Amino acid sequence: MKIKVLLLSLTLFACAGASAQQISPITKAVLRGYQEILNENPKDYSTLYQRATQYYNLSMYDEALVDIVKALEYTPEKEKVLRTDEYSMLADIYIQTKEYDKALTAINNALALSPQDYALLYKKGNIALYLNRPDDAYQSFASMQRLKSRSQEAFFGMARADIMMNKTEEAKELIKQAENADPSSYLTYCRIGELYEDMHEDENAAANYLSAFSLADGKSSRPLESLIHLADKNYPAVEAAIQYAVSRTSNTDPLFFLQASIAFNSGNYRQAYDGFTKLLQSKEGQIASVYANMAKCCIALDKIAEATTNASLAVLKENSVSTQIVKAEAELAAGNAAAALLAATKALHIDAYSTKALIQSALANVALGDAKAAMQNLNEVVMIDPADLRAQMIKAYVNFNMLDNAKEAILEYGRIGNTLDPETFNDITYKALAQCLAGKKLDADETMKRALLNKEDKTKDDYYMAAVYYAQTGDLVKGEEMIDKAISLGYQNLYNLYSNNTINLNIAPLRHLLQR
């Protein structure tokens, strides 16, 4: 019993920040303790359940599955509460492994033991949505609503199911009820916005995200992220919503700032440039963040002289890591490597662990021909963030092209190429490029082909990165095709299209095929 008590107290701390790859000493001690108990009694179902929970929290789903199946085998039928929890855990594991049919079976077994369980009904409804079974999903959410008449989760769930069944008017009525249930929460309007996106009513979605942004009052980035995501695919809808809001208030500066920031972050640089220009015409808008964003915008539009001017003004207004990094980027784009290095160095004096500043310093050192200093910068980046594939790509380049160390470069490319399941399209591109540069062209082409086929909602930036891959690996026809797709989706980064020569990570080989 002493071991069990100790394990229960330690479990609260064991999983903080842990993963299947990084297990803390405390977590290891907890797992050893569970094993000691199970060595004495392999059928200790409560310990099996607790260990399954521990494994689940560590994202070790295979191990969790083994334990929870055993726990269900040994848990007596009379232990209904525990068996319900075990089936619920089993469903969670199957959700994580994307085995939704099995997850539905598990949650149905849990509901057979506890048919009025609100949380289980919610889980079943969402599983049914994953399985594209909107009728079943609607019934689960409706059961929730019968348990709690003003349940937002139930209203939103039923609305989503109705949308899947093309019952838009019914969905809108449920949306109204969800809004009335909690009209003062920014999350309400974030979720309403998502439903309007599902109905392809982007202007209504944008209006609700704006309401969420106003209510969040800086407490959450979710409304702004939603607006940026929507602007990435339909900027006019977001702009129309903001313009309507501008017409309804005299305090326009915050809305102009929001409009320009959304335009910039969604890659609509011409609109962002116009927005930041308006802001800088007022005294209230002449602040460091506006000058810095204007500088970034000018870089993207290939207005490099204007970019350096705005970056310098940003630094004058505020000497910070972010403004010095922008200064370094602008100076490097202008070909002023020494000035770029100075700005990056100043940023590192403020924050020695800024990976962005370290990469800018490395790029400046590369431009200055100082391979040793560049390598020192890049080694620090990799120590701070081992998953930074861009830094590793630059590091391999320095080894191959500046230090004449082909062996280490090939090893570096091999490590990048062996990266498992990169999350971003940029990282997928780095992986494919590394595979090619390591001599595995067939694998590289397959990596990029699979990414283009599998990734849903590919953006203009994704197609640009695909063009980088094909340009750098010699398939100029395919590269031009990718650039055409990027531009057709509204790609506006003229610097990347016509000027950017960042090592191994540009479209320079096919640039002669482009027309301004």
Side-chain angles (χ1 to χ4, degrees):
M1 286 300 293
K2 288 183 179 180
I3 293 177
K4 282 194 175 183
V5 172
L6 178 62
L7 289 173
L8 287 172
S9 63
L10 288 176
T11 297
L12 294 173
F13 304 96
C15 292
S19 70
Q21 290 76 33
Q22 295 177 321
I23 302 178
S24 72
I26 293 177
T27 304
K28 289 179 181 177
V30 170
L31 293 174
R32 282 197 300 271
Y34 285 136
Q35 189 58 55
E36 288 179 27
I37 295 170
L38 291 168
N39 286 342
E40 294 179 10
N41 180 9
K43 296 184 179 182
D44 187 331
Y45 52 85
S46 64
T47 298
L48 285 165
Y49 170 68
Q50 289 165 15
R51 191 169 70 172
T53 303
Q54 186 86 59
Y55 281 140
Y56 179 85
N57 290 332
L58 291 166
S59 302
M60 299 170 69
Y61 303 121
D62 290 341
E63 293 85 349
L65 180 61
V66 170
D67 275 359
I68 205 68
V69 169
K70 286 182 180 178
L72 279 163
E73 180 183 350
Y74 300 135
T75 304
E77 295 291 337
K78 64 180 181 180
E79 296 273 10
K80 286 189 176 183
V81 173
L82 180 55
R83 288 185 67 82
T84 301
D85 290 342
E86 288 168 350
Y87 277 121
S88 180
M89 168 65 68
L90 182 61
D92 288 337
I93 294 168
Y94 283 135
I95 289 170
Q96 292 299 328
T97 58
K98 300 184 179 356
E99 297 177 88
Y100 298 113
D101 284 310
K102 291 181 179 179
L104 185 61
T105 299
I107 211 66
N108 280 335
N109 286 332
L111 282 165
L113 295 169
S114 184
Q116 301 298 307
D117 189 298
Y118 181 86
L120 294 177
L121 288 166
Y122 184 59
K123 195 175 293 186
K124 178 178 178 178
N126 282 301
I127 293 169
L129 289 176
Y130 276 117
L131 288 168
N132 196 27
R133 295 169 64 170
D135 283 318
D136 289 346
Y138 189 96
Q139 293 305 317
S140 289
F141 294 127
S143 296
M144 288 170 58
Q145 198 265 331
R146 286 192 289 272
L147 292 172
K148 294 183 182 180
S149 62
R150 290 177 58 80
S151 164
Q152 259 202 333
E153 288 81 4
F155 289 134
F156 280 127
M158 287 188 287
R160 197 170 294 281
D162 272 341
I163 291 168
M164 291 178 70
M165 293 184 285
N166 295 316
K167 298 178 179 179
T168 54
E169 293 307 313
E170 292 90 335
K172 288 178 181 180
E173 183 57 40
L174 288 162
I175 286 171
K176 287 180 185 177
Q177 294 183 61
E179 181 180 3
N180 291 335
D182 193 357
S184 61
S185 169
Y186 74 90
L187 284 173
T188 296
Y189 297 96
C190 282
R191 297 171 76 179
I192 291 174
E194 290 166 359
L195 291 173
Y196 274 112
E197 277 200 72
D198 290 342
M199 289 185 282
H200 307 292
E201 296 186 19
D202 289 347
E203 286 195 21
N204 281 332
N208 279 282
Y209 290 144
L210 274 176
S211 297
F213 181 81
S214 176
L215 288 169
D217 196 25
K219 296 173 186 174
S220 170
S221 62
R222 180 171 168 177
L224 181 57
E225 289 169 356
S226 296
L227 282 164
I228 291 169
H229 174 77
L230 179 58
D232 194 49
K233 66 176 183 177
N234 189 349
Y235 179 76
V238 176
E239 184 177 34
I242 294 176
Q243 288 301 331
Y244 177 76
V246 167
S247 71
R248 307 275 293 183
T249 182
S250 59
N251 186 19
T252 56
D253 278 353
L255 286 169
F256 283 138
F257 182 78
L258 178 64
Q259 181 182 25
S261 298
I262 290 170
F264 174 78
N265 282 290
S266 59
N268 292 282
Y269 300 112
R270 297 184 188 94
Q271 294 88 338
Y273 181 88
D274 292 341
F276 289 130
T277 299
K278 287 179 185 176
L279 281 169
L280 289 171
Q281 288 171 354
S282 69
K283 188 175 181 180
E284 291 79 6
Q286 295 170 11
I287 58 176
S289 59
V290 175
Y291 281 118
N293 283 332
M294 184 58 141
K296 293 178 189 175
C297 199
C298 288
I299 293 173
L301 292 174
D302 223 1
K303 300 174 182 283
I304 304 304
E306 198 173 338
T308 57
T309 299
N310 280 283
S312 295
L313 289 168
V315 169
L316 282 174
K317 290 287 183 180
E318 178 185 286
N319 179 30
S320 66
V321 173
S322 59
T323 58
Q324 290 290 359
I325 288 173
V326 172
K327 173 76 170 167
E329 291 172 348
E331 294 292 356
L332 198 59
N336 303 323
L341 179 59
L342 178 61
T345 301
K346 288 180 179 179
L348 289 169
H349 284 157
I350 301 170
D351 180 4
Y353 298 100
S354 168
T355 56
K356 289 183 179 179
L358 285 164
I359 287 176
Q360 286 304 311
S361 182
L363 290 172
N365 278 313
V366 168
L368 291 167
D370 192 340
K372 183 178 179 182
M375 189 60 73
Q376 182 178 343
N377 295 144
L378 296 165
N379 284 334
E380 289 182 47
V381 174
V382 174
M383 286 180 65
I384 296 166
D385 183 6
D388 192 322
L389 299 189
R390 181 169 182 249
Q392 293 175 48
M393 288 292 292
I394 301 169
K395 190 178 170 188
Y397 174 93
V398 172
N399 269 311
F400 194 90
N401 294 279
M402 299 179 72
L403 295 175
D404 197 26
N405 190 347
K407 181 179 178 181
E408 182 57 37
I410 295 298
L411 288 173
E412 191 78 53
Y413 286 132
R415 286 190 285 270
I416 301 167
N418 288 329
T419 303
L420 295 176
D421 301 322
E423 293 185 5
T424 68
F425 201 94
N426 280 18
D427 280 351
I428 292 171
T429 303
Y430 300 147
K431 173 177 178 172
L433 275 171
Q435 287 175 317
C436 185
L437 292 167
K440 298 180 178 180
K441 180 69 162 57
L442 292 177
D443 289 345
D445 284 344
E446 183 61 27
T447 295
M448 186 53 60
K449 179 182 177 182
R450 193 164 53 246
L452 288 167
L453 287 173
N454 293 345
K455 189 177 185 301
E456 296 179 1
D457 300 324
K458 283 179 287 294
T459 68
K460 51 187 178 286
D461 296 295
D462 294 340
Y463 283 118
Y464 168 77
M465 287 304 295
V468 168
Y469 170 78
Y470 289 113
Q472 291 293 327
T473 57
D475 191 342
L476 302 191
V477 173
K478 190 71 173 177
E480 187 180 18
E481 178 191 335
M482 294 296 105
I483 281 294
D484 287 344
K485 286 186 177 181
I487 292 172
S488 71
L489 289 173
Y491 193 77
Q492 294 183 16
N493 194 318
L494 304 183
Y495 176 70
N496 280 346
L497 291 177
Y498 303 113
S499 303
N500 186 2
N501 289 315
T502 301
I503 46 182
N504 279 357
L505 305 174
N506 58 69
I507 61 164
L510 61 77
R511 196 163 279 151
H512 64 284
L513 300 174
L514 304 182
Q515 295 181 350
R516 274 191 181 268

